[in-house]
Amino acid sequence: MSVRTATQLSLQFRLGSVPGTTPAQVHAHGEAVMRELLDLERHNPDFTDSTVSTDALEGTVTVEILVLDEGDPLRVLHRALDLVRTAIHAAGGATPGWPVEDRPSRVNMAAAQDLVTAT
């Protein structure tokens, strides 16, 4: 068995939807982002356990992931933002004005934990 560190992040973003966007469209986009995150997980061993939830009434999407083998909080945040942005683009979304200065509206980051994985 080996020990890996993991940091859990919960990132909430306010959606910039066009007028007339239906709740079903918001939820469908969240599902598409989720599919893309799962595809990224298959090709990137440094994160896992992605989840995406949407709130059409509030106009928000929340993404939760575990970033592995990185203990520096700023590097964890940057990696998570890179992964989320990649998934959004792959799902057909856009991220105008994205630089890190445009932070999520809410970020929760749990202290790094030790995970034991079978080898």
Side-chain angles (χ1 to χ4, degrees):
M1 289 196 274
S2 64
V3 175
R4 300 181 76 178
T5 60
T7 304
Q8 182 178 13
L9 287 99
S10 176
L11 308 167
Q12 185 178 76
F13 301 90
R14 185 152 306 283
L15 297 173
S17 302
V18 297
T21 300
T22 66
Q25 290 170 313
V26 171
H27 299 312
H29 182 65
E31 290 172 3
V33 170
M34 181 69 215
R35 282 192 302 276
E36 296 301 335
L37 281 169
L38 291 174
D39 189 49
L40 284 168
E41 280 186 26
R42 286 190 284 279
H43 302 288
N44 294 274
D46 67 332
F47 83 104
T48 190
D49 288 348
S50 302
T51 62
V52 175
S53 60
T54 53
D55 184 331
L57 294 177
E58 291 294 322
T60 59
V61 61
T62 301
V63 179
E64 296 181 7
I65 62 173
L66 286 177
V67 175
L68 305 171
D69 303 325
E70 178 57 64
D72 179 78
L74 190 56
R75 289 177 63 163
V76 168
L77 178 60
H78 281 263
R79 180 60 176 148
L81 290 170
D82 288 346
L83 292 163
V84 170
R85 187 175 192 202
T86 299
I88 290 168
H89 285 204
T95 57
W98 178 271
V100 174
E101 291 77 37
D102 287 343
R103 299 196 192 283
S105 56
R106 188 188 78 210
V107 176
N108 294 329
M109 187 180 303
Q113 304 171 25
D114 289 334
L115 297 180
V116 179
T117 56
T119 55

